[in-house]
Amino acid sequence: MDAVTYKEPAPILDKENPFESMMERFDVAAELLELERGVYEYLKTPVKQVTVSIPIQMDNGEIEVFEGYRIIHNDALGPSKGGIRYAPDLTVDEIKALAAWMTWKCAIANIPFGGAKGGVKCDPTRLTPVELEKITRRFTANMLDVFGPDKDIPAPDMNTNEQIMAWIMDTYSMHVRRTENAVVTGKPLIIGGSLGRREATGRGVMVATLAAMARKGISPKQSKCAVQGFGNVGSVSAKLLSDQGIRVIAVSDVSGGYYNKDGIDLAKAMDWGQKHRTLEGSGIGDSITNEDVLELEVDVLVPAAKEDQITAKNAGKIKAKIIVEGANGPTTAKADPILDANGVLVVPDILANSGGVTVSYFEWVQDRQGYFWTLDRVNRRLERMMHDAFNNVFHTAEKYNVSMRLGAYVLAIDKVAKTLKVRGIYA
Ligand code: NAD
């Protein structure tokens, strides 16, 4: 297996208060649904928040204490699901917002999971592999009462990867005295991972893009696209969109943007990116700024890097007819009305990037069945579920005469609220 590699530190969703920023959209959707006050309060509040201390003997012999978190936003639909992120500037509000998004995402994807998120406040770039393994194992041991294949199932997120999932699975399995591979998803294939998991988010972005283009009457063959971010989501989305005949004229990563009016050579870009971990020096196109990439004359824009990229400042300059949000939270709440007024069709993050959690669900199902599917079966099922989710959100948006973003929130909140009603309040 590859050595553990580190990505750039996880960014903060909204420096002010990410949970409140997420709630701005939630509040509008709750009003449209005429949600009763008690249900509103229930859905606003995480059902469980756990903080643990993680004392570790570092390689130099000294003891350092880290803080680990797991927040379960809601588990009405089933065991909670969500990633584990390692970052020095991790905040509880950031995790709370991400956990709530997971609740809505799973509801829209129509998978029987609730939403959670967690992480450890640490700087992985300053840790040795041994220290990273110790932190992961102690974090898992401290979360034994929280995690579980029927309770709460972690997955990778920023700065965590397949190897870290393998350590979580192994530590959990040692404590429960049996191999329990369904306790995490995003694992290496050899210990119960799923074929197609790595490409799943990008594949879902591709399906959502084609569905949006069909709604707008845009033919893929004559269209142009720009993709921001060239990591897992961005690179796979770009490649699969180009396989559909869409001309990807610009891509970007932390090193900047790259433009080629005839279409970026994506095989070359992916190959270079894998070898050098940056697109710098790849020669795939003319250098442009990251801001330029967002404002190009294209049919489709796929922000697949990080949050808060499309703001009230640049939303008015965006020329794309469709935005498909590969990243979580790339558009701020203040940018939403500007894009709406300009007729931009935004496929919101909680729908557009739900391919990842959908195949995580497939992984969990396969682990529990002890029977593993072919890549073709995984992809076919993913595409069917993405189509259904897209259509459900689209029709909800039409019914309430709102944007797809609000349609997505309305659909998700309505489903979780109905589940709560039918289950009743235990007292
Ligand atoms: P990644 O770390 O593999 O890639 C991130 C990419 O963005 C890198 O190419 C990086 O260089 C680039 N980048 C960072 N800052 C940038 C900037 N200012 N301008 C342009 N590019 C920049 O991450 P990923 O797994 O591809 O995730 C990307 C986004 O998608 C995140 O918001 C993540 O939460 C979301 N997401 C990921 C998955 C998944 O399955 N990986 C699932 C759902 C959502």
Side-chain angles (χ1 to χ4, degrees), residues 195-196 373-383:
L195 288 168
W373 309 348
T374 60
L375 179 60
D376 186 50
R377 172 175 285 197
V378 171
N379 286 345
R380 267 188 293 116
R381 289 184 169 175
L382 167 63
E383 290 183 18

Short mmCIF file of all heavy atoms in Angstrom, two decimals, residues 195-196 373-383:
data_model
loop_
_atom_site.label_atom_id
_atom_site.label_comp_id
_atom_site.label_asym_id
_atom_site.label_seq_id
_atom_site.Cartn_x
_atom_site.Cartn_y
_atom_site.Cartn_z
N LEU A 195 -15.13 -1.73 -5.14
CA LEU A 195 -14.71 -1.27 -6.46
C LEU A 195 -15.50 0.00 -6.76
O LEU A 195 -16.66 0.13 -6.35
CB LEU A 195 -15.02 -2.33 -7.52
CG LEU A 195 -14.14 -3.59 -7.48
CD1 LEU A 195 -14.73 -4.69 -8.37
CD2 LEU A 195 -12.71 -3.28 -7.89
N GLY A 196 -14.88 0.94 -7.46
CA GLY A 196 -15.59 2.14 -7.89
C GLY A 196 -15.72 3.22 -6.84
O GLY A 196 -16.24 4.30 -7.12
N TRP A 373 -19.47 -6.90 -5.26
CA TRP A 373 -20.05 -6.67 -6.58
C TRP A 373 -18.97 -6.36 -7.61
O TRP A 373 -17.89 -5.89 -7.27
CB TRP A 373 -21.03 -5.48 -6.54
CG TRP A 373 -22.07 -5.53 -5.47
CD1 TRP A 373 -22.39 -6.59 -4.67
CD2 TRP A 373 -22.92 -4.45 -5.06
NE1 TRP A 373 -23.39 -6.25 -3.80
CE2 TRP A 373 -23.74 -4.94 -4.02
CE3 TRP A 373 -23.08 -3.14 -5.46
CZ2 TRP A 373 -24.69 -4.15 -3.40
CZ3 TRP A 373 -24.03 -2.34 -4.85
CH2 TRP A 373 -24.83 -2.84 -3.82
N THR A 374 -19.36 -6.53 -8.90
CA THR A 374 -18.45 -6.14 -9.98
C THR A 374 -18.49 -4.62 -10.11
O THR A 374 -19.45 -3.97 -9.66
CB THR A 374 -18.91 -6.73 -11.32
OG1 THR A 374 -20.23 -6.24 -11.59
CG2 THR A 374 -18.92 -8.26 -11.29
N LEU A 375 -17.48 -4.07 -10.75
CA LEU A 375 -17.42 -2.63 -10.97
C LEU A 375 -18.64 -2.17 -11.77
O LEU A 375 -19.23 -1.13 -11.50
CB LEU A 375 -16.13 -2.26 -11.71
CG LEU A 375 -15.94 -0.78 -12.02
CD1 LEU A 375 -15.94 0.06 -10.75
CD2 LEU A 375 -14.65 -0.55 -12.81
N ASP A 376 -19.01 -3.01 -12.74
CA ASP A 376 -20.14 -2.64 -13.59
C ASP A 376 -21.43 -2.52 -12.75
O ASP A 376 -22.20 -1.58 -12.93
CB ASP A 376 -20.28 -3.73 -14.66
CG ASP A 376 -21.35 -3.36 -15.66
OD1 ASP A 376 -21.27 -2.22 -16.15
OD2 ASP A 376 -22.26 -4.18 -15.90
N ARG A 377 -21.61 -3.45 -11.81
CA ARG A 377 -22.81 -3.39 -10.96
C ARG A 377 -22.80 -2.14 -10.07
O ARG A 377 -23.81 -1.46 -9.93
CB ARG A 377 -22.90 -4.66 -10.12
CG ARG A 377 -24.00 -4.59 -9.08
CD ARG A 377 -24.19 -5.88 -8.33
NE ARG A 377 -24.86 -6.87 -9.15
CZ ARG A 377 -25.44 -7.98 -8.65
NH1 ARG A 377 -25.40 -8.23 -7.37
NH2 ARG A 377 -26.04 -8.83 -9.45
N VAL A 378 -21.64 -1.85 -9.49
CA VAL A 378 -21.51 -0.65 -8.65
C VAL A 378 -21.87 0.59 -9.47
O VAL A 378 -22.70 1.41 -9.05
CB VAL A 378 -20.07 -0.52 -8.09
CG1 VAL A 378 -19.87 0.83 -7.40
CG2 VAL A 378 -19.76 -1.66 -7.12
N ASN A 379 -21.28 0.71 -10.65
CA ASN A 379 -21.50 1.92 -11.45
C ASN A 379 -22.94 2.04 -11.93
O ASN A 379 -23.52 3.13 -11.93
CB ASN A 379 -20.54 1.95 -12.65
CG ASN A 379 -19.12 2.28 -12.21
OD1 ASN A 379 -18.91 2.75 -11.10
ND2 ASN A 379 -18.16 2.02 -13.08
N ARG A 380 -23.53 0.92 -12.34
CA ARG A 380 -24.93 0.97 -12.81
C ARG A 380 -25.86 1.40 -11.68
O ARG A 380 -26.74 2.24 -11.86
CB ARG A 380 -25.35 -0.41 -13.35
CG ARG A 380 -25.13 -0.54 -14.86
CD ARG A 380 -25.72 -1.81 -15.41
NE ARG A 380 -25.04 -2.99 -14.92
CZ ARG A 380 -25.61 -3.93 -14.16
NH1 ARG A 380 -26.86 -3.84 -13.80
NH2 ARG A 380 -24.91 -4.99 -13.75
N ARG A 381 -25.65 0.82 -10.51
CA ARG A 381 -26.52 1.18 -9.38
C ARG A 381 -26.31 2.63 -8.96
O ARG A 381 -27.25 3.33 -8.60
CB ARG A 381 -26.28 0.22 -8.21
CG ARG A 381 -26.81 -1.15 -8.53
CD ARG A 381 -26.71 -2.12 -7.39
NE ARG A 381 -27.47 -3.33 -7.71
CZ ARG A 381 -27.52 -4.41 -6.98
NH1 ARG A 381 -26.84 -4.48 -5.85
NH2 ARG A 381 -28.24 -5.45 -7.34
N LEU A 382 -25.06 3.06 -8.99
CA LEU A 382 -24.77 4.46 -8.63
C LEU A 382 -25.47 5.39 -9.61
O LEU A 382 -26.12 6.37 -9.20
CB LEU A 382 -23.26 4.71 -8.67
CG LEU A 382 -22.83 6.18 -8.62
CD1 LEU A 382 -23.26 6.83 -7.31
CD2 LEU A 382 -21.31 6.31 -8.78
N GLU A 383 -25.34 5.10 -10.90
CA GLU A 383 -25.94 6.00 -11.90
C GLU A 383 -27.45 6.05 -11.75
O GLU A 383 -28.07 7.12 -11.84
CB GLU A 383 -25.51 5.57 -13.31
CG GLU A 383 -24.02 5.88 -13.50
CD GLU A 383 -23.46 5.57 -14.88
OE1 GLU A 383 -24.26 5.43 -15.82
OE2 GLU A 383 -22.22 5.48 -14.99
#
